[in-house]
Amino acid sequence: MEKSPEDIEQPSPAAGAEVGPSPYITGWKLAVLLLGVSIAIFLPNLEVSIVSTALVTIANDLQGFSKTGWVVVAYLVNYTGFIIIWAKLSDILTRKWSLIASLVIFIIGSAICGASQSMTMLIVFRALQGLGGAGCFSISMVVFFELIPPDKYPKYGSLLSADVALATLLGPIIGGAIADGTTWRWVFLINLPIGALAVVALGVFLPNRFPRHHDHSTPSGDNKHSLRRVDFVGTLLLVGASLLLVTGLLEATTEYSWSSALPITLFVVSAVLWVSFVAWEYFATKETWAVEPVFPFRFFPNRYWMGMLLQAFFLGVPFTMLVIALPQRFQTVNSLSALDAGVRLLPYAMLAPVGSLVSNIIFMRRRVPILLLIAGATFQVLGLALLVAEPVRESLPARLYGFEILAGFGVGITFGTLVTITPGSVEPRDLATATGAMIQFRQMGSTIGLSIGSSLLNSYLKSHLAPPVLSAAQLSALLENIRVIFTFPPELQRVTRDAFAAAFELQLKVVVGLAAALFPSILLMLRVARREGRLVPAVTGAR
């Protein structure tokens, strides 16, 4: 009988076979390496959430509130586009030196971001930071799974999920405290000493040829020949398609209108690049080609795996949108400080790691990923729907935090389950690519979702605060610096805050709709068959 991914058991040595030394690092060296890898995973995720509560302060200082979406999106576009290419490079240039190189790029990008003197400079350097962050996260995820035996994936998977969720938890608090207590530049400069610690830990204790450090045979081939296998064309097509799509979404509501020639051109060219990307990956997957595709075409017939990737995509929308939108709402509508806004986000951020931990505990005892994914989607959609139904007031009712708890708990369950079942859902040769693809789809959802959200916010404000509500000069100043609100007469302040409240409510409605798409994605993982009286995962294309 064909087995589903979660039913696959690890092979045991044949009777009488000689068991060689374990290839796994153990003891305190493993602990140090897990710390270094955890930092490399933590910092790029922290950079998504830490700016959430500091964005208003950054925009006011650099005069560019209408461009706040770009501060996050510029990071996420490269973060999304280069995740898989870094994973591929680590197969060729070794895990150790690829990971250290990405950490160094991330640290340099962070330093330059902290020194930026304009919004344009910050946006450009955030792209560099995202390039390094992509490698930090994707290679670390691969190294994490290679450091531990497969039978311990569920146990250590909770650590991995909690690491990502903890970055989401601490980011808004740290960002708010920095914005209120010192210069916002420390939002980026904080990465320098922590990142240096990870570089030292990995440089000293990670073997040069990891994970093949136990194989003392002479490696064949050379790096120049191996580099020809890297799918640079596929990567450029993916980054170009993503960048043009989010640029069109953001520019259509800032400098241009939806009917302008530039946004329409960007959307058309983006669509062409997406089609070209799929076509290129089809040919790159053929065994007659030397290129190793960033997204193997053999992924497509694997319904189970494609369902997981779609869930990662739709998970990324609420995961990032709430972290960015809620603090902005608390600061603009409820007049809270950056730190207070971060504290109000704690219920959502705290329950995400709890949900990840709970999903891994349940999975260790009873492998029911489909039920866990259904539960996670249900909690998310219910919490988000209640947030939308709650009228926006100047004061924040206590039940609002209960809705955040539901949504955060659901996000954690879904993310924790997806991470844990990834290794068993694809062929062994695709582990590095699949791990990168899982992260990539989640971040792509974050990028596109955030672009849509920023577009809706700017569009709503421009249409509902246009003259005669505000003068053209007042509206232009408001879109550059939110503090301008305090210069308005009391009645005009109320009208402006009401417009912001309605815009954020519209954002949440879109988030609910995209989060609800988790349910049809789960259906891809099911086949209508009965085995032991339960629905079982689709296994088409799975190992």
Side-chain angles (χ1 to χ4, degrees):
M1 180 180 293
E2 196 172 22
K3 291 187 176 183
S4 58
E6 70 272 19
D7 293 326
I8 296 173
E9 298 177 359
Q10 297 302 319
S12 56
E18 182 179 349
V19 179
S22 172
Y24 296 104
I25 300 170
T26 59
W28 63 270
K29 287 186 178 181
L30 174 62
V32 173
L33 285 174
L34 285 176
L35 173 63
V37 169
S38 296
I39 291 174
I41 292 173
F42 179 84
L43 289 180
N45 284 280
L46 182 72
E47 274 307 298
V48 176
S49 62
I50 195 173
V51 300
S52 62
T53 47
L55 266 178
V56 173
T57 302
I58 294 172
N60 289 340
D61 187 36
L62 299 181
Q63 298 295 305
F65 180 78
S66 62
K67 297 179 180 177
T68 53
W70 270 115
V71 176
V72 182
V73 167
Y75 178 82
L76 287 177
V77 165
N78 272 359
Y79 191 38
T80 299
F82 286 92
I83 277 178
I84 293 181
I85 203 69
W86 274 111
K88 283 291 185 183
L89 284 173
S90 74
D91 285 338
I92 298 166
L93 305 178
T94 74
R95 302 279 193 255
K96 176 177 181 175
W97 298 112
S98 298
L99 180 52
I100 289 177
S102 63
L103 270 166
V104 170
I105 294 173
F106 178 78
I107 292 171
I108 292 173
S110 299
I112 304 176
C113 284
S116 297
Q117 299 300 311
S118 69
M119 284 293 278
T120 301
M121 288 178 63
L122 178 59
I123 289 167
V124 171
F125 297 140
R126 280 281 282 175
L128 176 64
Q129 193 187 30
L131 174 63
C136 292
F137 195 16
S138 65
I139 301 173
S140 294
M141 291 280 283
V142 177
V143 170
F144 186 93
F145 282 119
E146 291 172 337
L147 276 172
I148 56 177
D151 62 334
K152 294 185 178 179
Y153 284 167
K155 176 182 176 181
Y156 284 92
S158 59
L159 174 64
L160 184 62
S161 303
D163 189 20
V164 176
L166 188 62
T168 307
L169 166 64
L170 295 179
I173 303 298
I174 297 174
I178 289 174
D180 286 348
T182 182
T183 173
W184 57 264
R185 299 182 187 279
W186 277 105
V187 165
F188 306 105
L189 297 178
I190 194 175
N191 294 317
L192 275 61
I194 303 175
L197 177 63
V199 170
V200 172
L202 295 167
V204 174
F205 295 105
L206 191 64
N208 288 334
R209 295 181 59 200
F210 180 87
R212 293 177 290 276
H213 53 284
H214 57 285
D215 181 2
H216 299 292
S217 60
T218 303
S220 58
D222 57 72
N223 286 343
K224 289 184 178 179
H225 175 73
S226 298
L227 282 172
R228 297 194 190 108
R229 306 198 326 257
V230 179
D231 189 7
F232 291 111
V233 174
T235 300
L236 290 175
L237 288 172
L238 178 61
V239 172
S242 303
L243 180 60
L244 292 179
L245 174 60
V246 299
T247 300
L249 289 170
L250 291 172
E251 291 301 310
T253 54
T254 51
E255 302 296 332
Y256 303 90
S257 65
W258 287 104
S259 58
S260 299
L262 180 62
I264 293 174
T265 302
L266 292 173
F267 292 141
V268 171
V269 177
S270 174
V272 172
L273 290 180
W274 280 114
V275 173
S276 301
F277 172 73
V278 174
W280 171 262
E281 294 306 296
Y282 172 77
F283 289 106
T285 305
K286 292 180 177 294
E287 294 184 1
T288 54
W289 285 50
V291 172
E292 295 184 8
V294 295
F295 193 85
F297 205 79
R298 56 182 168 270
F299 280 177
F300 286 99
N302 185 344
R303 283 203 302 129
Y304 191 94
W305 177 238
M306 292 304 297
M308 289 173 59
L309 289 180
L310 285 175
Q311 286 176 79
F313 178 87
F314 292 116
L315 173 69
V317 177
F319 192 78
T320 302
M321 274 295 295
L322 262 67
V323 169
I324 300 297
L326 284 183
Q328 287 189 339
R329 166 183 160 178
F330 294 152
Q331 291 177 73
T332 54
V333 179
N334 306 106
S335 303
L336 297 180
S337 67
L339 179 58
D340 286 339
V343 171
R344 298 305 193 281
L345 191 65
L346 271 177
Y348 174 74
M350 286 180 65
L351 266 293
V354 172
S356 295
L357 180 61
V358 168
S359 71
N360 279 275
I361 291 174
I362 294 175
F363 191 82
M364 281 191 291
R365 297 187 176 186
R366 191 172 181 184
R367 303 198 170 202
V368 286
I370 302 299
L371 295 181
L372 285 171
L373 292 171
I374 292 173
T378 301
F379 280 120
Q380 283 183 71
V381 173
L382 179 60
L384 292 169
L386 290 172
L387 278 172
V388 171
E390 180 65 29
V392 178
R393 303 184 181 92
E394 190 170 342
S395 60
L396 296 172
R399 57 180 172 272
L400 193 73
Y401 308 127
F403 304 155
E404 287 187 34
I405 287 173
L406 284 174
F409 188 62
V411 165
I413 289 177
T414 301
F415 182 64
T417 304
L418 290 176
V419 168
T420 302
I421 65 178
T422 292
S425 303
V426 295
E427 299 177 25
R429 59 175 168 166
D430 290 326
L431 177 58
T433 304
T435 304
M438 177 59 63
I439 306 163
Q440 186 177 49
F441 269 66
R442 198 197 78 180
Q443 297 302 343
M444 194 180 298
S446 298
T447 305
I448 295 176
L450 188 60
S451 300
I452 294 173
S454 297
S455 176
L456 289 171
L457 177 65
N458 289 329
S459 179
Y460 192 92
L461 293 177
K462 282 188 172 183
S463 62
H464 287 76
L465 294 178
V469 180
L470 295 179
S471 68
Q474 286 176 322
L475 179 58
S476 176
L478 178 67
L479 293 176
E480 296 297 321
N481 191 330
I482 292 298
R483 293 195 190 102
V484 171
I485 292 179
F486 298 108
T487 67
F488 296 164
E491 180 60 26
L492 203 54
Q493 287 189 33
R494 185 186 63 79
V495 172
T496 303
R497 293 186 193 281
D498 287 346
F500 270 98
F504 288 126
E505 182 179 356
L506 179 61
Q507 282 184 329
L508 279 178
K509 288 179 179 178
V510 173
V511 170
V512 172
L514 292 173
L518 287 166
F519 291 106
S521 302
I522 294 173
L523 292 178
L524 282 176
M525 301 173 66
L526 299 174
R527 59 182 169 87
V528 183
R530 186 170 296 274
R531 187 178 71 187
E532 299 174 353
R534 63 184 178 91
L535 283 173
V536 297
V539 292
T540 306
R543 65 170 173 160

